[in-house]
Structures are given as structure tokens and as C-alpha cells.
């Protein structure tokens, strides 16, 4: 069935990284739980968007760096903390870029692996809606909007998130990297383990004064880490086996980047050396969903990917509710 | 007379480098160490390079498992290739053929402890004076550790230097392989043999048969 899908090329990528760069000293280093430290530590810098800034501003900047957009019929977005509560920003971006897409999807799940999932959807839309090219827009906004808050930044998990944005032009093209295979999985049993907490106990739609933050129950941290150790290698190996290739056929890896231990464990699972596992963790921190496209764009820009290279993308989201992997041949 | 309360000498222990105890390392630091040691995958060599342990649950009472394993000749049933065991000229040591090594002679002395439920096979290829290939087995009542009837068998081998260098190559100079050449297959090979042990014991226990080994008279020509 997959082979019947039209060929999708990853044509060009462009990033927009917020200007505000923060060092570790900006954050409190307090933790009662070493497991939490392990999950959230390890970065040197991260960038924060302005609290009142918008994801769509960054998407517009990035998209304008992509050149000809005249064949774009679809806009797919995923933003961690959306610009508006009800509406996504796909249509706003179309307005800014003066595009008339026939399909706009503001996708609200998939988290750190949403880029892989949206590549899969874009390919499906090529088959079902005759889409020629699509903009896949991935934004991480929660660092500036949540973790930079004066009350929140002293929490142990606040130091690692960073903001970043990437817009990727995909679809029909004579040039670009071919999407060779892609899969994603939903793990409903892990779906309720990451929450937005408010110290006054309110829900986000209820009025109040306390800022919210992303929270993982302490009793689940070890279990979440072990999920990441299991479901990401499992997704990568399933795709590898489906493609009928071996670890040695994989030239490089880009994953989401929650912490250095996941990075180490995931590349070990593919028997890749550290220099073949591209990451931007030290300078950007945990970019959540933007981690994969931002890092991929930087690796390409730096000339670390050569024609003929097969690059795997992989990761998992939130507390393990989605995992996925994709293979690109450059 | 009052018995004094005795506690560990933390002062003395503190002088031993490298100890990680609640007294000298925080729970946080200890947990961080554990995270670092926890990977997604482990190289085979790292897990089975120096020691090789296989373990399995067997639905058969521990006393019967012990009875069976403590008889050296049971190996002719559940091992892949140890056959034709007979008493050797050395007391308590039997000699047979390990077919995996062609016509290689294998010497074996079973050292067991009924109270501890341990059964150790002290073996060697080619000679029976220095039995350095030691198969350590511990049988544990499953009732204690798994809360159900039956047994757990834990079987460990340690990589003696003789696995790497045959101490007596002169005893079988034409043989193309040495037992140590198979070390990297020990996990797989021993796991398969443990499945043999499980299948035999579970079959006989379920059928109410004598636990064995079931040895029958030789009929017709039997050549090794």
C-alpha cells in the first residue's frame, strides 16, 4: 500500500530561532529528585521567544527563506502552545504569505514526533487531495511562554526547554531528499501522564493568577524514561526491517532531544557513533517538536549530510503517547 | 547480661574507596548514577563476555529437579551433545563424549548439595585431573520467588582463562575447535539446553513418570 503513494521529497528547510538567548545561570538549579534532574538537565544555552510573540511570525520569517512557494497547496502546522486557543495559525500564515492552500491542517497531537507524522500526512494528502507541495511548519513556543516565567523558571524542569521554529517545503520535486519510509504509533496507555499543572489547582480555562507549567508525576519519571528507551529504538528498528536494510546502511540520525541520555541510548540502538547522531541540544536545549527539523536543517547547512546518505528521523512525544520514525535518502 | 547492640563500623567503611552507601552518597546522586548505567541496548560482549547466566522457570518441584540434575547421566538427555558417560579411572569422575567436539572426551564430576539445592558440574575436555569448566546451577523453589509451584533454575558459567587458551593442546592435536571457541554462543546454547531441561522435567512431572534419567539397555549394535 505504501508503495502506491506518490513520491514525497523534502525539498528545502528553513529555521527561525528567537533572538533571546539565555544561559544556565538564568535558571534555578533545584531538585529533590535525581531522576528529574536526569530528565531535564544538560544544556548550555536555549533561546526563548518573546512572551507576546507569535509562532506565525517565526513561520513567516522561515517560509520567506524557502524561495518559490507557488506550488504550495497545503499548510500543515504543529505548535506546542498555540498562538490562539481556538484557532491554529495555518490560515494566518497563508494570509501572510498570500497563499491559497486547498488544505490547512493545524495538528495538535504528536508532540515531539509531529514532524515525522506530518510528513506521513503530507504524503497521504498528495494521494488523496492531489497536493503538489506542502509547507510543514513546526514550532516550539513553550520555553518563552511558560518556562521563562519568573515563577516557573526556578523549577528544575525549566532550564532545558528552548524555542525554535522550522518550515519545511515537501512534495513533488526533481530535487531534494526522498521520503523512503515512515511510520508512527500511538500508545494510548501513556496518554495521560503529561499534564499542564497550575499551583493553584485550576484548569487552564479557569481564571487565576498562578502560571502553568508542564509536569510529569514523580512516580512516573523512571517509567517514562524506560518507555523512551524502548519505544524509540522499537520504531527505528521496525522501519529499518520494513525497508529491508541493516544498521550499517543508515548514515545518520536526527531525533528529538529531551536529554543527553536518550540521545546516547537511541544512537546505540542503531550502532551509530555520536558524530552521526546530529543534535543541537547544547545550544538550543530541548526543542520539543522543533528539534528534528531544526537540527536536520542545521546539519544540512553545515554540510554534514552528503548525497546518497540515508538519514533516519525518530523520537517520541510527551510521556510516550506517540513514537515514530522516518527514513530520508538525500 | 546485656547484649551490646552492634552496628556497622561506618568509620572503617568510609576508608574503603569507591563504596556507595546511603551514608556517603545522596539518594539523588545514586539515582543519577543508575540513570547513566541504564541503556536501551547492551552489546553482547558486555553482558555475556565474562560471565554467562541463563535462567528459567520449570513447572516441576525443586526436589525432583534436584534429583534429576544431580545425576550426571541426566546430561545425556538434556545437554545438546554430552553422551556415553561411564565411570572414569578417577574417583567420582565420569567420562563421556562431547559430540560438539567430534570425538572429544569430556570428564565430569557432579558436586551437589541437597540442602542448598545446588548442582555444579565440574568438567573438562580431554583430561579429568583439572576440572575447570564449571557449570554452576542453583535451583530455587518458585513458591518463594514467584509465588507459584515449581522451580527456578539459574545456571552460570565463568570465563576461565582456559576457555581462551587450551592448557593441553597436545591431548587432541587434530581437533579443529576448542571449547572456548564457542564462548560467544554460550548464552544461546545454554538457553536452548535449559529449554530441553524444562521440557523433559515438565513432561515427566505432568505425566507422573519417574523423573529420570530414563536409561534403557543397549539393543543391537550401538557405536559411538
Amino acid at each position: 500500500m505504501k508503495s502506491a503513494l506518490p513520491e514525497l521529497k523534502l525539498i528545502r528547510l528553513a529555521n527561525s530561532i528567537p533572538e533571546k538567548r539565555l544561559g544556565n545561570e538564568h535558571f534555578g538549579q533545584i531538585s529533590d529528585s535525581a531522576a528529574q534532574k536526569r530528565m531535564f538537565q544538560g544544556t548550555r544555552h536555549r533561546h526563548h521567544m518573546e512572551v507576546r510573540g507569535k509562532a506565525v511570525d517565526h513561520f513567516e520569517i522561515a517560509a520567506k527563506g524557502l524561495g518559490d512557494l507557488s506550488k504550495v497547496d497545503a499548510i500543515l502546522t504543529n505548535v506546542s502552545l498555540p498562538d490562539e486557543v481556538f484557532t491554529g495559525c495555518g490560515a494566518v500564515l497563508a494570509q501572510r504569505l498570500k497563499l491559497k492552500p486547498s488544505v490547512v491542517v493545524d495538528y495538535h497531537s504528536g508532540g515531539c514526533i509531529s514532524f515525522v507524522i506530518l510528513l506521513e500526512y503530507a504524503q497521504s494528502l498528495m494521494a488523496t487531495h492531489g497536493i503538489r507541495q506542502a509547507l510543514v511548519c513546526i514550532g516550539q513556543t513553550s520555553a518563552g511562554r511558560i518556562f521563562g516565567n519568573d515563577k516557573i523558571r526556578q523549577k528544575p524542569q525549566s532550564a532545558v526547554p528552548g524555542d525554535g521554529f522550522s518550515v519545511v517545503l515537501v512534495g513533488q520535486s526533481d530535487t531534494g531528499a526522498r521520503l523512503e519510509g515512515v511510520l508512527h504509533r500511538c500508545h494510548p496507555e501513556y496518554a495521560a501522564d503529561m499534564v499542564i499543572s497550575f499551583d493553584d489547582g485550576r484548569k487552564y480555562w479557569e481564571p487565576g493568577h498562578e502560571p502553568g507549567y508542564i509536569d510529569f508525576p514523580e512516580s512516573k519519571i523512571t517509567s517514562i524514561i524506560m518507555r523512551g528507551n524502548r519505544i524509540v529504538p522499537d520504531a527505528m528498528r521496525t522501519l529499518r526491517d520494513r525497508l529491508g536494510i541493516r544498521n550499517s546502511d543508515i548514515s545518520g540520525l536526527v531525533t528529538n532531544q529531551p536529554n543527553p541520555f536518550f540521545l546516547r541510548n537511541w544512537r546505540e540502538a542503531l550502532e551509530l557513533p555520536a558524530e552521526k547522531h546530529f543534535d543541537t541540544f547544547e545550544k538550543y536545549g530541548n526543542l520539543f517538536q522543533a528539534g528534528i527539523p531544526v537540527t536536520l536543517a542545521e546539519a544540512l547547512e553545515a554540510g554534514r549530510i552528503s548525497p546518497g546518505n540515508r538519514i533516519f528521523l525518530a523520537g517520541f512525544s510527551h510521556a510516550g503517547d506517540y513514537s515514530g520514525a522516518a527514513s530520508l535518502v538525500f | 547480661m546485656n547484649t551490646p547492640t552492634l552496628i556497622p563500623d561506618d568509620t572503617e567503611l568510609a576508608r574503603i574507596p569507591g563504596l556507595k552507601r546511603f551514608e556517603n552518597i545522596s539518594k539523588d546522586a545514586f539515582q543519577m548514577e543508575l540513570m547513566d548505567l541504564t541503556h536501551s541496548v547492551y552489546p553482547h560482549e558486555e553482558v555475556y563476555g565474562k560471565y554467562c547466566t541463563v535462567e528459567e522457570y520449570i513447572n516441576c518441584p525443586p526436589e525432583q529437579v534436584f534429583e534429576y540434575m544431580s545425576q550426571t547421566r541426566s546430561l545425556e538427555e538434556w545437554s545438546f551433545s554430552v553422551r556415553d558417560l561411564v565411570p572414569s579411572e578417577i574417583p567420582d569422575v565420569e567420562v563421556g563424549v562431547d559430540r560438539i567436539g567430534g570425538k572429544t572426551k569430556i570428564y565430569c564430576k557432579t558436586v551437589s548439595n541437597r540442602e542448598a539445592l545446588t548442582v555444579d558440574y565440574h568438567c573438562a575436555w580431554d583430561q579429568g585431573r583439572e576440572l575447570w569448566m564449571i557449570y554452576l546451577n542453583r535451583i530455587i523453589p518458585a513458591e518463594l520467588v514467584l509465588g507459584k509451584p515449581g522451580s527456578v533454575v539459574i545456571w552460570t558459567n565463568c570465563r576461565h582463562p582456559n576457555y581462551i587458551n587450551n592448557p593441553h593442546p597436545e591431548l587432541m592435536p587434530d581437533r579443529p575447535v576448542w571449547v572456548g571457541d564457542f564462548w560467544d554462543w554460550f548464552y544461546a546454547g545454554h538457553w536452548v539446553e535449559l529449554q530441553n531441561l524444562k521440557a523433559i522435567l515438565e513432561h515427566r512431572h505432568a505425566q507422573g513418570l519417574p523423573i529420570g534419567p530414563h536409561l534403557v539397555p543397549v539393543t543391537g549394535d550401538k557405536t559411538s
Side-chain angles (χ1 to χ4, degrees):
Chain A
M1 183 177 154
K2 290 275 176 198
S3 60
L5 288 173
E7 182 180 81
L8 179 140
K9 291 270 185 63
L10 187 145
I11 305 163
R12 282 187 296 279
L13 307 85
N15 294 341
S16 175
I17 306 294
E19 275 180 28
K20 190 199 288 180
R21 189 176 86 151
L22 300 169
N24 285 347
E25 67 287 352
H26 186 71
F27 299 90
Q29 286 295 326
I30 48 161
S31 175
D32 292 332
S33 155
Q36 279 200 3
K37 271 189 187 166
R38 263 307 180 224
M39 183 118 187
F40 296 114
Q41 78 169 358
T43 184
R44 188 184 295 260
H45 295 110
R46 75 288 293 144
H47 292 245
H48 279 195
M49 68 184 297
E50 295 303 325
V51 176
R52 301 185 69 89
K54 289 198 160 189
V56 72
D57 299 338
H58 288 280
F59 288 153
E60 184 182 357
I61 293 167
K64 284 180 173 165
L66 288 174
D68 178 22
L69 300 180
S70 60
K71 289 184 186 159
V72 170
D73 320 297
I75 293 179
L76 313 180
T77 76
N78 175 260
V79 178
S80 46
L81 198 63
D83 287 352
E84 303 291 344
V85 174
F86 272 52
T87 58
C89 66
V92 182
L93 181 65
Q95 182 190 57
R96 301 255 188 110
L97 297 174
K98 299 183 170 53
L99 297 175
K100 287 274 184 194
S102 54
V103 176
V104 172
V105 178
D106 292 303
Y107 176 67
H108 194 56
S109 50
C112 295
I113 197 64
S114 64
F115 179 59
V116 164
I117 296 172
L118 290 181
L119 285 180
E120 191 178 18
Y121 288 174
Q123 192 172 32
S124 300
L125 288 172
M126 290 172 76
T128 57
H129 288 62
I131 296 299
R132 293 169 297 169
Q133 292 183 351
L135 288 179
V136 179
C137 312
I138 309 290
Q140 144 64 356
T141 54
S142 68
R145 286 178 175 173
I146 293 182
F147 294 107
N149 178 281
D150 278 344
K151 282 188 181 169
I152 303 299
R153 69 184 164 95
Q154 298 305 323
K155 290 186 180 291
Q157 68 265 46
S158 297
V160 176
D163 289 330
F165 303 82
S166 193
V167 178
V168 185
L169 181 65
V170 303
Q172 298 171 356
S173 176
D174 296 333
T175 58
R178 178 171 62 87
L179 180 68
E180 180 187 36
V182 58
L183 65 86
H184 87 270
R185 291 176 170 148
C186 178
H187 309 276
E189 62 273 31
Y190 308 140
D193 290 347
M194 191 193 94
V195 293
I196 301 293
S197 288
F198 295 83
D199 285 340
D200 56 6
R202 68 185 171 96
K203 296 296 181 187
Y204 83 84
W205 57 86
E206 294 177 316
H209 293 292
E210 292 301 318
Y213 55 94
I214 294 169
D215 204 13
F216 298 93
E218 187 180 350
S219 63
K220 294 258 172 79
I221 294 274
T222 304
S223 156
I224 291 166
I225 289 168
M226 292 316 292
R227 286 171 203 167
N229 281 337
R230 190 179 69 252
I231 62 180
V232 177
D234 190 53
M236 297 190 296
R237 290 156 164 185
T238 302
L239 179 63
R240 175 199 65 192
D241 294 345
R242 204 178 274 180
L243 294 171
I245 59 172
R246 297 188 294 188
N247 288 348
S248 56
D249 298 320
I250 300 165
S251 325
L253 175 65
V254 182
T255 60
N256 64 313
Q257 46 191 30
N259 63 49
F261 297 94
F262 277 135
L263 292 173
R264 178 197 69 186
N265 292 351
W266 294 340
R267 67 173 167 263
E268 283 178 351
L270 282 189
E271 301 176 275
L272 280 172
E275 65 271 18
K276 294 294 183 189
H277 186 181
F278 311 126
D279 77 83
T280 49
F281 186 72
E282 196 175 285
K283 63 177 184 176
Y284 294 149
N286 183 357
L287 288 171
F288 293 66
Q289 48 265 77
I292 293 174
V294 164
T295 302
L296 181 63
E298 293 215 352
L300 275 167
E301 179 81 21
R304 299 179 74 185
I305 298 172
S306 306
N309 280 178
R310 176 185 279 112
I311 304 295
F312 261 42
L313 316 178
F316 79 115
S317 60
H318 309 130
D321 52 1
Y322 296 88
S323 61
S327 176
L328 294 167
V329 178
F330 285 82
Chain B
M1 203 175 93
N2 286 338
T3 310
T5 305
L6 299 178
I7 58 166
D9 182 357
D10 287 335
T11 323
E12 193 249 338
L13 289 168
R15 286 196 292 270
I16 302 175
L19 291 196
K20 283 163 188 160
R21 301 172 71 237
F22 191 81
E23 285 73 13
N24 72 338
I25 179 172
S26 72
K27 183 183 157 201
D28 280 7
F30 181 61
Q31 288 178 343
M32 285 167 76
E33 187 114 359
L34 304 191
M35 286 308 305
D36 196 13
L37 288 167
T38 305
H39 296 238
S40 289
V41 296
Y42 300 85
H44 185 89
E45 170 71 18
E46 206 171 282
V47 182
Y48 298 110
K50 292 178 182 164
Y51 307 92
C52 178
T53 296
V54 290
E55 61 282 311
E56 182 58 285
Y57 166 77
I58 298 176
N59 188 2
C60 178
E63 300 73 26
Q64 285 195 285
V65 175
F66 176 84
E67 197 58 44
Y68 182 75
M69 293 185 77
S70 60
Q71 299 180 68
T72 312
R73 294 207 63 187
S74 297
L75 288 169
E76 295 186 54
E77 294 188 327
W78 70 275
S79 79
F80 175 69
S81 56
V82 173
R83 299 293 182 268
D84 308 324
L85 288 164
V86 293
S88 76
E89 71 282 7
I90 306 164
D92 302 324
V93 175
E94 305 204 37
V95 60
V97 179
D98 192 345
R99 298 273 178 92
I100 204 166
K103 293 181 177 177
T104 296
K105 280 184 179 171
I106 184 164
Y107 290 79
C108 184
K109 175 183 175 180
T110 300
V111 179
S112 53
N113 182 319
R114 186 178 297 273
E115 204 180 348
L117 291 174
T118 58
V119 180
D120 300 337
Y121 303 117
H122 295 237
C123 306
W125 275 15
D126 304 332
Q127 52 79 35
R129 299 284 166 196
E130 189 201 347
L131 299 173
W132 57 271
M133 291 162 46
I134 304 182
Y135 300 71
L136 305 157
N137 294 280
R138 180 168 180 184
I139 302 154
I140 303 153
E143 201 67 66
L144 294 178
V145 292
L146 299 177
K148 63 179 182 179
S151 307
V152 171
V153 173
I154 298 178
W155 165 10
T156 299
N157 280 68
C158 307
R159 195 173 199 170
H160 190 285
N162 289 351
Y163 279 117
I164 295 161
N165 290 307
N166 180 357
H168 301 292
E170 72 285 358
L171 294 176
M172 198 160 172
D174 296 333
R175 179 180 45 218
V177 292
W178 173 236
V179 63
D181 299 338
F182 301 120
W183 177 270
D184 288 331
W185 285 358
F186 269 27
Y187 168 75
H190 290 179
W191 186 84
V192 170
E193 291 184 313
L194 192 51
Q195 298 311 304
N196 287 346
L197 179 70
K198 175 181 168 76
I200 291 167
L201 288 170
E202 290 189 346
H203 170 78
R204 288 178 185 164
H205 173 61
Q207 306 287 322
L209 300 169
I211 205 66
H214 292 182
L215 303 172
V216 295
V218 178
T219 54
D221 273 348
K222 185 172 187 293
T223 54
S224 55

